[in-house]
Amino acid sequence: MDYLYQAGKPNGKKFILLHGTGGDETSLVDLAKFLDADSTILSFRGKIEEDGMNCFFKRNGLNQFDFESLEKETDHLLEEIETISEEKGIALEDWVLVGYSNGANIAAHLLLERETTLSKGIFFHPMSLEVHTQSFNLADKKVWVSYGGKQDPIVSEASFAELVAAFRDRSADVTVVETAYGHQVSMDEVQNAREWLKE
């Protein structure tokens, strides 16, 4: 899996970046630097190609998920994170997963469906992938999620609500931010996520 690694300052946050469909490992770097200028960055490129666009798992059309691919790629992503973390001497619990759209979806799925010490996430415009096979407690997880409201042509209100409920029902600490900008990331959201990180 192609990735970009940039060491930051020792006191900086540590971000794992997961782009949206059609992005790559550079897509969220500026956003990460706005969240914390001193941050260490581990940014992945999704290894699935869909109509020439990078993504993190296969789909069979808009919002039609290939569940076999989703599980395989989630395992693969977690393995990569664990391997690189060990190489760099970074504890898994020190990372913050930062994802947008397709990247946010696989990151949220990872926290919900894999027992891991990864514990923090900032997810811009995620949705439920409708897989709920696990019931282990998520009280150690803290996630910030944003939703583009009724203007979002991709994420429905019901799907977003299902994702939030999946975390909350298992005791995760969830902060929800709604915007009026549809599926694009707004400056207001990024500012809000930055404040949340400082708490």
Side-chain angles (χ1 to χ4, degrees), residues 97-116:
L97 291 159
V98 180
Y100 165 59
S101 194
N102 182 260
N105 291 345
I106 197 168
H109 183 73
L110 193 161
L111 290 186
L112 288 166
E113 293 287 310
R114 301 291 184 275
E115 293 199 58
T116 169

Side-chain angles (χ1 to χ4, degrees), residues 78-163:
L78 182 54
E79 277 168 30
E80 290 273 319
I81 291 169
E82 288 172 342
T83 302
I84 296 163
S85 299
E86 201 169 317
E87 279 170 17
K88 306 293 183 188
I90 296 172
L92 287 185
E93 55 269 28
D94 289 347
W95 290 112
V96 182
L97 291 159
V98 180
Y100 165 59
S101 194
N102 182 260
N105 291 345
I106 197 168
H109 183 73
L110 193 161
L111 290 186
L112 288 166
E113 293 287 310
R114 301 291 184 275
E115 293 199 58
T116 169
T117 53
L118 289 164
S119 60
K120 290 186 267 318
I122 292 177
F123 305 143
F124 295 96
H125 308 273
M127 66 198 298
S128 170
L129 300 180
E130 298 157 23
V131 180
H132 306 291
T133 69
Q134 301 297 323
S135 57
F136 55 85
N137 190 279
L138 298 175
D140 66 323
K141 311 296 183 210
K142 199 173 174 190
V143 298
W144 178 103
V145 291
S146 68
Y147 167 55
K150 292 188 168 55
Q151 281 69 37
D152 192 324
I154 294 169
V155 181
S156 72
E157 206 168 349
S159 181
F160 181 76
E162 185 182 318
L163 179 71

Side-chain angles (χ1 to χ4, degrees), residues 7-14 38-40:
K9 294 185 180 167
N11 63 337
K13 299 285 184 195
K14 293 170 176 62
D38 297 333
S39 59
T40 290

